[in-house]
Amino acid sequence: MSDGTTTVRALRERVAEFVHARDWEQYHRPTNLAKAISVEAAELLELFQWREDGEALGPAVRARIEEELSDVVIYCLSLANAMGLDLSEAVLDKLRRNEARYPVAEWRGRARDPATERDRVTPRTRRTRSRPGRRT
Ligand SMILES: [Mg+2]
């Protein structure tokens, strides 16, 4: 099975079978699953901690990234199952809204909103501290 041949439905059913076989539906409440997604996303992020941008990743690290990314996706699919959400519809709808929010003509090659950047607060200057001791 690969991305080219596997449907979202097939993945959701496979996750549901895994959960059902263990009688874990009782634990797979939306709040628990949302927490689990966040925990697994943090585990994924940890693999990049202290690495330089563009640093080559060895096969062992890539395997760990694949594992943690899979954990995130599995919990996302499980959340969609628990809530009866149509994930494909939701993702495609969100992409349509993102396309409207970030028109290509304005956002191509740009990651930050120039209007927001103009309003950036400049770092505070360090305050000088008065000398310690008794006040006179
Ligand atoms: Mg994990």
Side-chain angles (χ1 to χ4, degrees):
M1 294 179 96
S2 69
D3 284 351
T5 58
T6 307
T7 64
V8 174
R9 173 185 281 180
L11 289 175
R12 287 181 66 160
E13 287 174 358
R14 185 74 179 84
V15 169
E17 287 167 12
F18 177 88
V19 170
H20 185 69
R22 288 154 185 80
D23 190 24
W24 284 353
E25 287 96 341
Q26 60 186 314
Y27 308 114
H28 280 218
R29 292 188 295 274
T31 49
N32 288 341
L33 293 166
K35 290 174 197 172
I37 290 167
S38 184
V39 168
E40 296 300 341
E43 290 178 3
L44 175 63
L45 184 59
E46 187 179 25
L47 297 171
F48 292 95
Q49 188 177 26
W50 310 124
R51 294 184 188 279
E52 300 296 323
D53 283 344
E55 182 181 327
L57 301 172
V61 175
R62 287 184 65 88
R64 293 281 296 121
I65 290 168
E66 189 177 86
E67 188 179 329
E68 298 306 339
L69 181 60
S70 297
D71 284 340
V72 171
V73 172
I74 288 167
Y75 279 124
C76 289
L77 294 167
S78 200
L79 180 58
N81 285 344
M83 296 187 68
L85 302 175
D86 187 317
L87 203 49
S88 299
E89 199 173 284
V91 168
L92 292 173
D93 183 54
K94 181 62 177 169
L95 281 172
R96 277 191 290 274
R97 283 185 280 141
N98 285 348
E99 285 166 350
R101 184 175 177 183
Y102 305 105
V104 172
E106 293 174 40
W107 284 89
R108 184 170 171 75
R110 176 181 289 166
R112 285 181 276 190
D113 187 349
T116 306
E117 290 297 299
R118 270 197 303 276
D119 297 338
R120 260 174 78 173
V121 177
T122 53
R124 278 195 337 194
T125 54
R126 190 173 175 182
R127 277 199 256 161
T128 54
R129 194 171 159 207
S130 59
R131 293 171 60 180
R134 289 177 51 181
R135 290 180 187 218
T136 54

